[in-house]
Amino acid sequence: MTALPTVGPGTPPRADPAAAPPPVVPDTVISDEIRVVGMVWERELIRYVRTRTRIVSGLIQPVLFLFVLGYGMSGLVGTTGGFNFRQFVYPGVVAMSVVMTAMFSALSIVWDREFGFLREMLVAPVSRVSLVLGKTAGGATVAAVQGTIMLVLAPLVGIRLTPLLVVQMIALELLMAVAMTTFGVFVASRIQKMESFQVVMQMLLMPMLFLSGALFPLNGLPGWLTVITRLNPLTYAVAPFRQAVFAAQDLSPAAQARFPTNVTLFGFTLSIGMELAIVVVFAVVFFVLAFRGLSRTE
Amino acid sequence: MKTDLASEHERSGVAGDASLAVDVHGLTKRYGELAAVDGIDFSVGQGEIFAFLGPNGAGKSTTIKMLCTLAHPTSGRATVAGFDVSTRAKSVRRHIGLVFQEQTLDDQLTAGENLQFHAVLYGVPHREVEARISRVLELVALSDRRKDLVSTYSGGMARRLEIARGMLHTPKILFLDEPTVGLDPQTRALIWDDIQRLRREEGVTIFLTTHYMDEAEYAERIAIIDHGAIIALDSPDVLKASVGTDTVAIETSDDEAALASLQRAGYTVERTGSGLTAFVADEETAVGPIVAATGVPVRTVRAHRPTLDDVFLHFTGREIRDQRGEAVPMMARARGARRS
Ligand SMILES: Nc1ncnc2c1ncn2[C@@H]1O[C@H](COP(=O)(O)OP(=O)(O)O)[C@@H](O)[C@H]1O
Ligand SMILES: [Mg+2]
């Protein structure tokens, strides 16, 4: 049976016809955007504090690396000028915990997508820059906190902490965490499915960590591996971190030669300033990519 | 004069009739070959409860997405709260509340934290946030669960929290995409209470979609949508009246005599398969008098009022409850596929 709509579109009730047209509100209000950054940041912290298992598991893996690898390798590497492999690897392991926490924070966007909360954020009348900024600030804060918790392990492996060193380490942790969070947000914005998450963690994060100089010195590697380590943004974040830690220890020249901390690029030895500048550039590039990645969604 | 005003509106990004909450002209969305929404026209007045009723795949969510600026129309025009969805997306979003078909809460946060987050996202002034959160939680009767993690909520509670959240920034129009889908009948009734309370107490316009026929009755006007096109649009009563009147069907020991006495009593009666059918204005109040006027013993009485099922069937020739949007033969209905 073919039935034509015999019922016409009923007329809706009208409000006062003289109603004023809606006010034209400016589309972006800076103070509102700052509140958004703060709120997204706060949510990251709340979620971090609320998931104790994450804090604990975020500690266990680096501690394992520090002690298992530290003692295991010490026999092989030996002690040079009173300095051993545990002391060498300590800054790398702290960096590792910062990086893993930052990545985990950022990749929680994949969860947010799965559970729908990402949508709540993306449809809001706010700038996506604010959302990425908040996420970055949150991930970086959480990662720096996790890295700072690792400082309590320093005395156990014979690393001397000075107040200056603690300040330097926290500052470097923050920078490293910012770069890794923006990188993570960028990666997460490309992941549509939760199953891909594990794959990314293993295929990306682990090689990045191993090829950053965090766990072994970067000199004397075969050419192709050297190229990869130099393309790895983490390399430029780990080196200054280790240099800061070593600067606070009284290293003998022999130990310095045995455990080099510099990164060389095309035969030049980079200064700490140059390394940090490279990290900043990476962070900015990843930030833009992360923003664009999130803008693509929907 | 009129054209001057129109171009004036277009320049400021304010188009259409400001007294309408939603105004849609020839709205179309194509996904490749498929016209998910195919040139629909309708408008929603301020303070109305307006329902989009149609089977899955009819284009309800796609329409909502275009109205909420989450999908760009392929062609056509729509204004929401007086703002054009294509040119003033941010203004539209600021003036609407939105509850998606899928859940969008953070279940690791408490209800209060979810609302706090939303208040900031939508620029609710700082000093109003507290009062507003208490108010919307009260509206959906969740005040005492404010400090609980959303992960401890039931599906119905989470839905009601989302409705509260949609109202938090005092939107002009609240869009609800299948707000009751998958919930048990009691919870569905509670949500309808919520919706009516919101309209009454906050004066918000409500635009919702559903594929439950019985629910659409609560709306003041219904657009029946199928294959991307609106096939009927009016109040539930008018729609139902358009497919016929109430009927009372009886079987008696002597239909001949009954027919005569009913006609004498002034009823419009017809002989049908196994008995008689009287066409009445209101079946509920007609049953008694009809039985009394029959004059012979009555064996069975069946009273029927046209439902929206009948309306959908009338306009499409098939049943809405078929989930894949394919034709269900009318036979199925004859065999008694009717629900409750
Ligand atoms: N992003 C998309 N890409 C392609 N087709 C889509 C997309 N979204 C919806 N559709 C199609 O458009 C039609 C209408 O879908 P939808 O609006 O979700 O229906 P409803 O909400 O009424 O169930 C369906 O046939 C659906 O498959
Ligand atoms: Mg839908």
mmCIF file with all atom_site columns, all heavy atoms in Angstrom, chain A residues 103 106-107 136 177-189 200 204-205 208 233 282-283 286-287 290:
data_model
loop_
_atom_site.group_PDB
_atom_site.id
_atom_site.type_symbol
_atom_site.label_atom_id
_atom_site.label_alt_id
_atom_site.label_comp_id
_atom_site.label_asym_id
_atom_site.label_entity_id
_atom_site.label_seq_id
_atom_site.pdbx_PDB_ins_code
_atom_site.Cartn_x
_atom_site.Cartn_y
_atom_site.Cartn_z
_atom_site.occupancy
_atom_site.B_iso_or_equiv
_atom_site.pdbx_formal_charge
_atom_site.auth_seq_id
_atom_site.auth_comp_id
_atom_site.auth_asym_id
_atom_site.auth_atom_id
_atom_site.pdbx_PDB_model_num
ATOM 1   N N   . MET A 1 103 ? 53.709 8.510  28.333 1.00 0.00 ? 103 MET A N   1
ATOM 2   C CA  . MET A 1 103 ? 53.062 7.825  27.214 1.00 0.00 ? 103 MET A CA  1
ATOM 3   C C   . MET A 1 103 ? 51.729 7.227  27.637 1.00 0.00 ? 103 MET A C   1
ATOM 4   O O   . MET A 1 103 ? 50.732 7.301  26.927 1.00 0.00 ? 103 MET A O   1
ATOM 5   C CB  . MET A 1 103 ? 53.952 6.684  26.694 1.00 0.00 ? 103 MET A CB  1
ATOM 6   C CG  . MET A 1 103 ? 54.989 7.104  25.702 1.00 0.00 ? 103 MET A CG  1
ATOM 7   S SD  . MET A 1 103 ? 54.276 7.765  24.190 1.00 0.00 ? 103 MET A SD  1
ATOM 8   C CE  . MET A 1 103 ? 54.205 6.307  23.182 1.00 0.00 ? 103 MET A CE  1
ATOM 9   N N   . ALA A 1 106 ? 49.114 9.900  27.956 1.00 0.00 ? 106 ALA A N   1
ATOM 10  C CA  . ALA A 1 106 ? 48.662 10.402 26.662 1.00 0.00 ? 106 ALA A CA  1
ATOM 11  C C   . ALA A 1 106 ? 47.794 9.383  25.960 1.00 0.00 ? 106 ALA A C   1
ATOM 12  O O   . ALA A 1 106 ? 46.762 9.699  25.387 1.00 0.00 ? 106 ALA A O   1
ATOM 13  C CB  . ALA A 1 106 ? 49.862 10.752 25.794 1.00 0.00 ? 106 ALA A CB  1
ATOM 14  N N   . LEU A 1 107 ? 48.210 8.128  26.052 1.00 0.00 ? 107 LEU A N   1
ATOM 15  C CA  . LEU A 1 107 ? 47.475 7.098  25.326 1.00 0.00 ? 107 LEU A CA  1
ATOM 16  C C   . LEU A 1 107 ? 46.125 6.799  25.963 1.00 0.00 ? 107 LEU A C   1
ATOM 17  O O   . LEU A 1 107 ? 45.315 6.088  25.387 1.00 0.00 ? 107 LEU A O   1
ATOM 18  C CB  . LEU A 1 107 ? 48.322 5.830  25.215 1.00 0.00 ? 107 LEU A CB  1
ATOM 19  C CG  . LEU A 1 107 ? 49.501 5.964  24.240 1.00 0.00 ? 107 LEU A CG  1
ATOM 20  C CD1 . LEU A 1 107 ? 50.392 4.735  24.306 1.00 0.00 ? 107 LEU A CD1 1
ATOM 21  C CD2 . LEU A 1 107 ? 49.023 6.152  22.815 1.00 0.00 ? 107 LEU A CD2 1
ATOM 22  N N   . THR A 1 136 ? 48.559 17.680 27.810 1.00 0.00 ? 136 THR A N   1
ATOM 23  C CA  . THR A 1 136 ? 50.020 17.695 27.886 1.00 0.00 ? 136 THR A CA  1
ATOM 24  C C   . THR A 1 136 ? 50.479 18.082 29.284 1.00 0.00 ? 136 THR A C   1
ATOM 25  O O   . THR A 1 136 ? 51.348 17.433 29.870 1.00 0.00 ? 136 THR A O   1
ATOM 26  C CB  . THR A 1 136 ? 50.585 18.686 26.855 1.00 0.00 ? 136 THR A CB  1
ATOM 27  O OG1 . THR A 1 136 ? 50.078 18.341 25.564 1.00 0.00 ? 136 THR A OG1 1
ATOM 28  C CG2 . THR A 1 136 ? 52.095 18.647 26.829 1.00 0.00 ? 136 THR A CG2 1
ATOM 29  N N   . ALA A 1 177 ? 58.841 14.915 29.736 1.00 0.00 ? 177 ALA A N   1
ATOM 30  C CA  . ALA A 1 177 ? 57.454 14.452 29.826 1.00 0.00 ? 177 ALA A CA  1
ATOM 31  C C   . ALA A 1 177 ? 56.559 15.219 28.857 1.00 0.00 ? 177 ALA A C   1
ATOM 32  O O   . ALA A 1 177 ? 55.670 14.637 28.239 1.00 0.00 ? 177 ALA A O   1
ATOM 33  C CB  . ALA A 1 177 ? 56.938 14.604 31.253 1.00 0.00 ? 177 ALA A CB  1
ATOM 34  N N   . VAL A 1 178 ? 56.816 16.529 28.713 1.00 0.00 ? 178 VAL A N   1
ATOM 35  C CA  . VAL A 1 178 ? 56.011 17.315 27.772 1.00 0.00 ? 178 VAL A CA  1
ATOM 36  C C   . VAL A 1 178 ? 56.188 16.758 26.365 1.00 0.00 ? 178 VAL A C   1
ATOM 37  O O   . VAL A 1 178 ? 55.219 16.501 25.652 1.00 0.00 ? 178 VAL A O   1
ATOM 38  C CB  . VAL A 1 178 ? 56.410 18.809 27.826 1.00 0.00 ? 178 VAL A CB  1
ATOM 39  C CG1 . VAL A 1 178 ? 55.859 19.552 26.614 1.00 0.00 ? 178 VAL A CG1 1
ATOM 40  C CG2 . VAL A 1 178 ? 55.892 19.443 29.108 1.00 0.00 ? 178 VAL A CG2 1
ATOM 41  N N   . ALA A 1 179 ? 57.453 16.529 25.991 1.00 0.00 ? 179 ALA A N   1
ATOM 42  C CA  . ALA A 1 179 ? 57.718 16.023 24.644 1.00 0.00 ? 179 ALA A CA  1
ATOM 43  C C   . ALA A 1 179 ? 57.057 14.663 24.437 1.00 0.00 ? 179 ALA A C   1
ATOM 44  O O   . ALA A 1 179 ? 56.431 14.405 23.410 1.00 0.00 ? 179 ALA A O   1
ATOM 45  C CB  . ALA A 1 179 ? 59.219 15.928 24.403 1.00 0.00 ? 179 ALA A CB  1
ATOM 46  N N   . MET A 1 180 ? 57.174 13.793 25.444 1.00 0.00 ? 180 MET A N   1
ATOM 47  C CA  . MET A 1 180 ? 56.617 12.453 25.287 1.00 0.00 ? 180 MET A CA  1
ATOM 48  C C   . MET A 1 180 ? 55.094 12.460 25.322 1.00 0.00 ? 180 MET A C   1
ATOM 49  O O   . MET A 1 180 ? 54.452 11.648 24.668 1.00 0.00 ? 180 MET A O   1
ATOM 50  C CB  . MET A 1 180 ? 57.154 11.516 26.384 1.00 0.00 ? 180 MET A CB  1
ATOM 51  C CG  . MET A 1 180 ? 58.575 11.084 26.159 1.00 0.00 ? 180 MET A CG  1
ATOM 52  S SD  . MET A 1 180 ? 58.894 10.516 24.462 1.00 0.00 ? 180 MET A SD  1
ATOM 53  C CE  . MET A 1 180 ? 57.983 8.975  24.429 1.00 0.00 ? 180 MET A CE  1
ATOM 54  N N   . THR A 1 181 ? 54.496 13.367 26.112 1.00 0.00 ? 181 THR A N   1
ATOM 55  C CA  . THR A 1 181 ? 53.030 13.412 26.155 1.00 0.00 ? 181 THR A CA  1
ATOM 56  C C   . THR A 1 181 ? 52.479 13.894 24.817 1.00 0.00 ? 181 THR A C   1
ATOM 57  O O   . THR A 1 181 ? 51.533 13.310 24.289 1.00 0.00 ? 181 THR A O   1
ATOM 58  C CB  . THR A 1 181 ? 52.532 14.324 27.290 1.00 0.00 ? 181 THR A CB  1
ATOM 59  O OG1 . THR A 1 181 ? 53.222 13.985 28.485 1.00 0.00 ? 181 THR A OG1 1
ATOM 60  C CG2 . THR A 1 181 ? 51.044 14.141 27.516 1.00 0.00 ? 181 THR A CG2 1
ATOM 61  N N   . THR A 1 182 ? 53.069 14.942 24.255 1.00 0.00 ? 182 THR A N   1
ATOM 62  C CA  . THR A 1 182 ? 52.573 15.413 22.957 1.00 0.00 ? 182 THR A CA  1
ATOM 63  C C   . THR A 1 182 ? 52.761 14.320 21.908 1.00 0.00 ? 182 THR A C   1
ATOM 64  O O   . THR A 1 182 ? 51.877 14.083 21.101 1.00 0.00 ? 182 THR A O   1
ATOM 65  C CB  . THR A 1 182 ? 53.297 16.691 22.495 1.00 0.00 ? 182 THR A CB  1
ATOM 66  O OG1 . THR A 1 182 ? 54.694 16.456 22.530 1.00 0.00 ? 182 THR A OG1 1
ATOM 67  C CG2 . THR A 1 182 ? 52.941 17.868 23.375 1.00 0.00 ? 182 THR A CG2 1
ATOM 68  N N   . PHE A 1 183 ? 53.913 13.629 22.004 1.00 0.00 ? 183 PHE A N   1
ATOM 69  C CA  . PHE A 1 183 ? 54.130 12.517 21.079 1.00 0.00 ? 183 PHE A CA  1
ATOM 70  C C   . PHE A 1 183 ? 53.039 11.459 21.264 1.00 0.00 ? 183 PHE A C   1
ATOM 71  O O   . PHE A 1 183 ? 52.441 10.973 20.299 1.00 0.00 ? 183 PHE A O   1
ATOM 72  C CB  . PHE A 1 183 ? 55.524 11.915 21.310 1.00 0.00 ? 183 PHE A CB  1
ATOM 73  C CG  . PHE A 1 183 ? 55.804 10.684 20.497 1.00 0.00 ? 183 PHE A CG  1
ATOM 74  C CD1 . PHE A 1 183 ? 55.960 10.768 19.127 1.00 0.00 ? 183 PHE A CD1 1
ATOM 75  C CD2 . PHE A 1 183 ? 55.900 9.444  21.108 1.00 0.00 ? 183 PHE A CD2 1
ATOM 76  C CE1 . PHE A 1 183 ? 56.210 9.622  18.369 1.00 0.00 ? 183 PHE A CE1 1
ATOM 77  C CE2 . PHE A 1 183 ? 56.156 8.301  20.362 1.00 0.00 ? 183 PHE A CE2 1
ATOM 78  C CZ  . PHE A 1 183 ? 56.312 8.397  18.993 1.00 0.00 ? 183 PHE A CZ  1
ATOM 79  N N   . GLY A 1 184 ? 52.757 11.142 22.520 1.00 0.00 ? 184 GLY A N   1
ATOM 80  C CA  . GLY A 1 184 ? 51.744 10.128 22.825 1.00 0.00 ? 184 GLY A CA  1
ATOM 81  C C   . GLY A 1 184 ? 50.356 10.544 22.363 1.00 0.00 ? 184 GLY A C   1
ATOM 82  O O   . GLY A 1 184 ? 49.596 9.728  21.840 1.00 0.00 ? 184 GLY A O   1
ATOM 83  N N   . VAL A 1 185 ? 50.006 11.825 22.551 1.00 0.00 ? 185 VAL A N   1
ATOM 84  C CA  . VAL A 1 185 ? 48.684 12.301 22.127 1.00 0.00 ? 185 VAL A CA  1
ATOM 85  C C   . VAL A 1 185 ? 48.570 12.191 20.611 1.00 0.00 ? 185 VAL A C   1
ATOM 86  O O   . VAL A 1 185 ? 47.541 11.782 20.078 1.00 0.00 ? 185 VAL A O   1
ATOM 87  C CB  . VAL A 1 185 ? 48.429 13.755 22.587 1.00 0.00 ? 185 VAL A CB  1
ATOM 88  C CG1 . VAL A 1 185 ? 47.121 14.279 21.997 1.00 0.00 ? 185 VAL A CG1 1
ATOM 89  C CG2 . VAL A 1 185 ? 48.382 13.828 24.100 1.00 0.00 ? 185 VAL A CG2 1
ATOM 90  N N   . PHE A 1 186 ? 49.678 12.532 19.948 1.00 0.00 ? 186 PHE A N   1
ATOM 91  C CA  . PHE A 1 186 ? 49.689 12.409 18.486 1.00 0.00 ? 186 PHE A CA  1
ATOM 92  C C   . PHE A 1 186 ? 49.444 10.953 18.069 1.00 0.00 ? 186 PHE A C   1
ATOM 93  O O   . PHE A 1 186 ? 48.585 10.660 17.246 1.00 0.00 ? 186 PHE A O   1
ATOM 94  C CB  . PHE A 1 186 ? 51.016 12.939 17.933 1.00 0.00 ? 186 PHE A CB  1
ATOM 95  C CG  . PHE A 1 186 ? 51.365 12.412 16.570 1.00 0.00 ? 186 PHE A CG  1
ATOM 96  C CD1 . PHE A 1 186 ? 50.554 12.688 15.479 1.00 0.00 ? 186 PHE A CD1 1
ATOM 97  C CD2 . PHE A 1 186 ? 52.495 11.643 16.389 1.00 0.00 ? 186 PHE A CD2 1
ATOM 98  C CE1 . PHE A 1 186 ? 50.868 12.190 14.222 1.00 0.00 ? 186 PHE A CE1 1
ATOM 99  C CE2 . PHE A 1 186 ? 52.818 11.147 15.150 1.00 0.00 ? 186 PHE A CE2 1
ATOM 100 C CZ  . PHE A 1 186 ? 51.998 11.412 14.056 1.00 0.00 ? 186 PHE A CZ  1
ATOM 101 N N   . VAL A 1 187 ? 50.195 10.033 18.698 1.00 0.00 ? 187 VAL A N   1
ATOM 102 C CA  . VAL A 1 187 ? 50.015 8.615  18.365 1.00 0.00 ? 187 VAL A CA  1
ATOM 103 C C   . VAL A 1 187 ? 48.581 8.182  18.681 1.00 0.00 ? 187 VAL A C   1
ATOM 104 O O   . VAL A 1 187 ? 47.908 7.542  17.871 1.00 0.00 ? 187 VAL A O   1
ATOM 105 C CB  . VAL A 1 187 ? 51.026 7.737  19.145 1.00 0.00 ? 187 VAL A CB  1
ATOM 106 C CG1 . VAL A 1 187 ? 50.717 6.261  18.949 1.00 0.00 ? 187 VAL A CG1 1
ATOM 107 C CG2 . VAL A 1 187 ? 52.445 8.048  18.692 1.00 0.00 ? 187 VAL A CG2 1
ATOM 108 N N   . ALA A 1 188 ? 48.105 8.597  19.864 1.00 0.00 ? 188 ALA A N   1
ATOM 109 C CA  . ALA A 1 188 ? 46.766 8.171  20.297 1.00 0.00 ? 188 ALA A CA  1
ATOM 110 C C   . ALA A 1 188 ? 45.689 8.683  19.350 1.00 0.00 ? 188 ALA A C   1
ATOM 111 O O   . ALA A 1 188 ? 44.692 8.010  19.115 1.00 0.00 ? 188 ALA A O   1
ATOM 112 C CB  . ALA A 1 188 ? 46.490 8.664  21.710 1.00 0.00 ? 188 ALA A CB  1
ATOM 113 N N   . SER A 1 189 ? 45.906 9.868  18.805 1.00 0.00 ? 189 SER A N   1
ATOM 114 C CA  . SER A 1 189 ? 44.880 10.434 17.924 1.00 0.00 ? 189 SER A CA  1
ATOM 115 C C   . SER A 1 189 ? 44.752 9.611  16.640 1.00 0.00 ? 189 SER A C   1
ATOM 116 O O   . SER A 1 189 ? 43.759 9.698  15.946 1.00 0.00 ? 189 SER A O   1
ATOM 117 C CB  . SER A 1 189 ? 45.199 11.890 17.592 1.00 0.00 ? 189 SER A CB  1
ATOM 118 O OG  . SER A 1 189 ? 46.306 11.962 16.724 1.00 0.00 ? 189 SER A OG  1
ATOM 119 N N   . VAL A 1 200 ? 51.154 -0.750 19.830 1.00 0.00 ? 200 VAL A N   1
ATOM 120 C CA  . VAL A 1 200 ? 51.910 0.498  19.773 1.00 0.00 ? 200 VAL A CA  1
ATOM 121 C C   . VAL A 1 200 ? 52.887 0.583  20.934 1.00 0.00 ? 200 VAL A C   1
ATOM 122 O O   . VAL A 1 200 ? 54.052 0.949  20.763 1.00 0.00 ? 200 VAL A O   1
ATOM 123 C CB  . VAL A 1 200 ? 50.941 1.706  19.798 1.00 0.00 ? 200 VAL A CB  1
ATOM 124 C CG1 . VAL A 1 200 ? 51.703 2.992  20.011 1.00 0.00 ? 200 VAL A CG1 1
ATOM 125 C CG2 . VAL A 1 200 ? 50.147 1.751  18.507 1.00 0.00 ? 200 VAL A CG2 1
ATOM 126 N N   . LEU A 1 204 ? 56.630 0.599  19.640 1.00 0.00 ? 204 LEU A N   1
ATOM 127 C CA  . LEU A 1 204 ? 57.129 1.961  19.578 1.00 0.00 ? 204 LEU A CA  1
ATOM 128 C C   . LEU A 1 204 ? 57.899 2.333  20.842 1.00 0.00 ? 204 LEU A C   1
ATOM 129 O O   . LEU A 1 204 ? 59.042 2.768  20.785 1.00 0.00 ? 204 LEU A O   1
ATOM 130 C CB  . LEU A 1 204 ? 55.922 2.900  19.403 1.00 0.00 ? 204 LEU A CB  1
ATOM 131 C CG  . LEU A 1 204 ? 56.167 4.193  18.663 1.00 0.00 ? 204 LEU A CG  1
ATOM 132 C CD1 . LEU A 1 204 ? 56.578 3.918  17.231 1.00 0.00 ? 204 LEU A CD1 1
ATOM 133 C CD2 . LEU A 1 204 ? 54.906 5.040  18.692 1.00 0.00 ? 204 LEU A CD2 1
ATOM 134 N N   . LEU A 1 205 ? 57.236 2.103  21.977 1.00 0.00 ? 205 LEU A N   1
ATOM 135 C CA  . LEU A 1 205 ? 57.799 2.605  23.220 1.00 0.00 ? 205 LEU A CA  1
ATOM 136 C C   . LEU A 1 205 ? 59.077 1.869  23.604 1.00 0.00 ? 205 LEU A C   1
ATOM 137 O O   . LEU A 1 205 ? 60.090 2.482  23.934 1.00 0.00 ? 205 LEU A O   1
ATOM 138 C CB  . LEU A 1 205 ? 56.746 2.491  24.327 1.00 0.00 ? 205 LEU A CB  1
ATOM 139 C CG  . LEU A 1 205 ? 57.130 3.153  25.635 1.00 0.00 ? 205 LEU A CG  1
ATOM 140 C CD1 . LEU A 1 205 ? 57.479 4.612  25.425 1.00 0.00 ? 205 LEU A CD1 1
ATOM 141 C CD2 . LEU A 1 205 ? 56.011 3.017  26.644 1.00 0.00 ? 205 LEU A CD2 1
ATOM 142 N N   . MET A 1 208 ? 62.018 2.667  21.404 1.00 0.00 ? 208 MET A N   1
ATOM 143 C CA  . MET A 1 208 ? 62.435 4.050  21.662 1.00 0.00 ? 208 MET A CA  1
ATOM 144 C C   . MET A 1 208 ? 63.270 4.142  22.929 1.00 0.00 ? 208 MET A C   1
ATOM 145 O O   . MET A 1 208 ? 64.273 4.850  22.982 1.00 0.00 ? 208 MET A O   1
ATOM 146 C CB  . MET A 1 208 ? 61.203 4.953  21.803 1.00 0.00 ? 208 MET A CB  1
ATOM 147 C CG  . MET A 1 208 ? 60.736 5.549  20.491 1.00 0.00 ? 208 MET A CG  1
ATOM 148 S SD  . MET A 1 208 ? 59.296 6.580  20.750 1.00 0.00 ? 208 MET A SD  1
ATOM 149 C CE  . MET A 1 208 ? 60.073 8.146  21.113 1.00 0.00 ? 208 MET A CE  1
ATOM 150 N N   . PRO A 1 233 ? 63.836 10.995 19.350 1.00 0.00 ? 233 PRO A N   1
ATOM 151 C CA  . PRO A 1 233 ? 63.794 12.219 20.155 1.00 0.00 ? 233 PRO A CA  1
ATOM 152 C C   . PRO A 1 233 ? 64.232 11.986 21.604 1.00 0.00 ? 233 PRO A C   1
ATOM 153 O O   . PRO A 1 233 ? 64.799 12.879 22.239 1.00 0.00 ? 233 PRO A O   1
ATOM 154 C CB  . PRO A 1 233 ? 62.322 12.646 20.100 1.00 0.00 ? 233 PRO A CB  1
ATOM 155 C CG  . PRO A 1 233 ? 61.559 11.543 19.474 1.00 0.00 ? 233 PRO A CG  1
ATOM 156 C CD  . PRO A 1 233 ? 62.530 10.691 18.739 1.00 0.00 ? 233 PRO A CD  1
ATOM 157 N N   . PHE A 1 282 ? 61.161 19.044 18.969 1.00 0.00 ? 282 PHE A N   1
ATOM 158 C CA  . PHE A 1 282 ? 60.332 17.844 18.857 1.00 0.00 ? 282 PHE A CA  1
ATOM 159 C C   . PHE A 1 282 ? 58.979 18.055 19.535 1.00 0.00 ? 282 PHE A C   1
ATOM 160 O O   . PHE A 1 282 ? 57.925 17.708 19.001 1.00 0.00 ? 282 PHE A O   1
ATOM 161 C CB  . PHE A 1 282 ? 61.035 16.634 19.499 1.00 0.00 ? 282 PHE A CB  1
ATOM 162 C CG  . PHE A 1 282 ? 61.894 15.858 18.543 1.00 0.00 ? 282 PHE A CG  1
ATOM 163 C CD1 . PHE A 1 282 ? 63.266 15.759 18.733 1.00 0.00 ? 282 PHE A CD1 1
ATOM 164 C CD2 . PHE A 1 282 ? 61.320 15.205 17.454 1.00 0.00 ? 282 PHE A CD2 1
ATOM 165 C CE1 . PHE A 1 282 ? 64.065 15.036 17.851 1.00 0.00 ? 282 PHE A CE1 1
ATOM 166 C CE2 . PHE A 1 282 ? 62.105 14.478 16.567 1.00 0.00 ? 282 PHE A CE2 1
ATOM 167 C CZ  . PHE A 1 282 ? 63.486 14.398 16.765 1.00 0.00 ? 282 PHE A CZ  1
ATOM 168 N N   . ALA A 1 283 ? 59.010 18.643 20.752 1.00 0.00 ? 283 ALA A N   1
ATOM 169 C CA  . ALA A 1 283 ? 57.766 18.837 21.511 1.00 0.00 ? 283 ALA A CA  1
ATOM 170 C C   . ALA A 1 283 ? 56.795 19.705 20.721 1.00 0.00 ? 283 ALA A C   1
ATOM 171 O O   . ALA A 1 283 ? 55.601 19.412 20.643 1.00 0.00 ? 283 ALA A O   1
ATOM 172 C CB  . ALA A 1 283 ? 58.062 19.453 22.879 1.00 0.00 ? 283 ALA A CB  1
ATOM 173 N N   . PHE A 1 286 ? 55.416 17.757 17.706 1.00 0.00 ? 286 PHE A N   1
ATOM 174 C CA  . PHE A 1 286 ? 54.430 16.760 18.137 1.00 0.00 ? 286 PHE A CA  1
ATOM 175 C C   . PHE A 1 286 ? 53.145 17.440 18.598 1.00 0.00 ? 286 PHE A C   1
ATOM 176 O O   . PHE A 1 286 ? 52.050 16.920 18.399 1.00 0.00 ? 286 PHE A O   1
ATOM 177 C CB  . PHE A 1 286 ? 54.989 15.883 19.264 1.00 0.00 ? 286 PHE A CB  1
ATOM 178 C CG  . PHE A 1 286 ? 56.050 14.924 18.800 1.00 0.00 ? 286 PHE A CG  1
ATOM 179 C CD1 . PHE A 1 286 ? 57.154 14.644 19.593 1.00 0.00 ? 286 PHE A CD1 1
ATOM 180 C CD2 . PHE A 1 286 ? 55.945 14.286 17.562 1.00 0.00 ? 286 PHE A CD2 1
ATOM 181 C CE1 . PHE A 1 286 ? 58.125 13.754 19.170 1.00 0.00 ? 286 PHE A CE1 1
ATOM 182 C CE2 . PHE A 1 286 ? 56.916 13.395 17.135 1.00 0.00 ? 286 PHE A CE2 1
ATOM 183 C CZ  . PHE A 1 286 ? 58.012 13.132 17.942 1.00 0.00 ? 286 PHE A CZ  1
ATOM 184 N N   . PHE A 1 287 ? 53.291 18.621 19.222 1.00 0.00 ? 287 PHE A N   1
ATOM 185 C CA  . PHE A 1 287 ? 52.103 19.335 19.686 1.00 0.00 ? 287 PHE A CA  1
ATOM 186 C C   . PHE A 1 287 ? 51.202 19.678 18.499 1.00 0.00 ? 287 PHE A C   1
ATOM 187 O O   . PHE A 1 287 ? 49.994 19.447 18.531 1.00 0.00 ? 287 PHE A O   1
ATOM 188 C CB  . PHE A 1 287 ? 52.494 20.607 20.442 1.00 0.00 ? 287 PHE A CB  1
ATOM 189 C CG  . PHE A 1 287 ? 51.309 21.326 21.029 1.00 0.00 ? 287 PHE A CG  1
ATOM 190 C CD1 . PHE A 1 287 ? 50.862 21.019 22.310 1.00 0.00 ? 287 PHE A CD1 1
ATOM 191 C CD2 . PHE A 1 287 ? 50.628 22.290 20.308 1.00 0.00 ? 287 PHE A CD2 1
ATOM 192 C CE1 . PHE A 1 287 ? 49.756 21.653 22.850 1.00 0.00 ? 287 PHE A CE1 1
ATOM 193 C CE2 . PHE A 1 287 ? 49.518 22.936 20.841 1.00 0.00 ? 287 PHE A CE2 1
ATOM 194 C CZ  . PHE A 1 287 ? 49.086 22.611 22.115 1.00 0.00 ? 287 PHE A CZ  1
ATOM 195 N N   . ALA A 1 290 ? 49.695 16.561 17.177 1.00 0.00 ? 290 ALA A N   1
ATOM 196 C CA  . ALA A 1 290 ? 48.660 16.067 18.094 1.00 0.00 ? 290 ALA A CA  1
ATOM 197 C C   . ALA A 1 290 ? 47.385 16.867 17.904 1.00 0.00 ? 290 ALA A C   1
ATOM 198 O O   . ALA A 1 290 ? 46.285 16.317 17.817 1.00 0.00 ? 290 ALA A O   1
ATOM 199 C CB  . ALA A 1 290 ? 49.136 16.176 19.542 1.00 0.00 ? 290 ALA A CB  1
#
